[in-house]
Amino acid sequence: MTIPKVEVKKILYATDLSENARFAFSYAVSLADLYGAKIALLHVLPEVSELMDHHVIGYIDSDKWEEIKAQHFKEAKEALIGKSKGHLAVKDVLHQFSEKVKEGQEGEGFITDDIIVERGNPVEQIIRHAEERNCDLIVMGTHGHGTLEDVMLGSTARRVIRRAKMPVLVVRLPEE
């Protein structure tokens, strides 16, 4: 039996920008260094579902709900990236993070192929970007919540595994 040679030229690293997500990034960096691969970093800003919109609008008017969502997004963005505006600031954070990791990296290091910040469904965006960029591997972390929570909510990582056409490395993140 002949085992095919595994080649990894492009890795998509999906991150929620949490402190623990750096742990999963170390796997992406190690594999990129080992294979001489490029890494594309992806962060998805999730949107509120239409079902949630419809449910909440039953209690408050739609203008007030839009105002609350906008305020929540603004507060989350400021907590995430400081007072900077727009997706460019998130890209700057990811770029600086990538460069900082490279500085501390021994060996050949890795090449940051692209830094992507999208808005939408995380699963859809991860799959779409992995396919569009012809990635050989997706690397992402998971918090590994209890089984009941996973059944009720489903995890992004599990849904990506089910739908991805390429291998997915899911790294269990350390406890907070």
Side-chain angles (χ1 to χ4, degrees):
M1 177 168 96
T2 305
I3 298 175
K5 181 178 179 187
V6 174
E7 290 189 29
V8 178
K9 296 178 183 169
K10 278 192 171 183
I11 298 170
L12 179 70
Y13 166 66
T15 179
D16 64 0
L17 299 178
S18 68
E19 280 296 313
N20 287 342
R22 294 174 186 231
F23 187 71
F25 190 58
S26 65
Y27 282 82
V29 168
S30 294
L31 289 167
D33 189 36
L34 179 68
Y35 287 102
K38 296 178 181 180
I39 299 177
L41 289 84
L42 172 66
H43 174 67
V44 180
L45 298 164
E47 292 184 340
V48 177
S49 72
E50 288 182 31
L51 179 63
M52 176 67 111
D53 276 345
H54 183 69
H55 184 69
V56 171
I57 290 172
Y59 292 97
I60 61 174
D61 69 54
S62 61
D63 290 339
K64 184 65 177 170
W65 177 232
E66 290 302 320
E67 182 182 319
I68 290 169
K69 288 193 309 186
Q71 181 63 30
H72 177 73
F73 178 73
K74 179 182 172 196
E75 289 171 3
K77 186 168 74 170
E78 287 176 358
L80 182 67
I81 60 177
K83 301 290 182 188
S84 300
K85 294 181 180 177
H87 296 309
L88 293 178
V90 177
K91 286 186 178 184
D92 287 343
V93 169
L94 287 170
H95 178 71
Q96 289 171 7
F97 172 67
S98 174
E99 291 302 313
K100 192 173 185 179
V101 170
K102 285 181 190 178
E103 289 172 10
Q105 186 72 5
E106 294 185 20
E108 293 181 26
F110 63 95
I111 297 169
T112 303
D113 185 44
D114 200 2
I115 296 174
I116 310 126
V117 178
E118 289 284 348
R119 184 181 277 273
N121 179 301
V123 175
E124 298 289 330
Q125 294 296 335
I126 291 167
I127 298 297
R128 182 173 72 84
H129 283 284
E131 289 175 357
E132 284 178 1
R133 287 170 170 67
N134 295 316
C135 291
D136 303 298
L137 178 69
I138 298 170
V139 176
M140 60 190 303
T142 186
H143 295 286
H145 299 294
T147 55
L148 179 59
E149 189 172 42
D150 282 347
V151 168
M152 296 299 288
L153 301 174
S155 73
T156 299
R158 184 177 358 176
R159 287 180 282 157
V160 169
I161 289 168
R162 281 191 208 142
R163 296 192 42 208
K165 296 177 182 169
M166 68 283 303
V168 179
L169 173 61
V170 178
V171 179
R172 186 172 187 119
L173 302 176
E175 298 294 323
E176 302 260 2

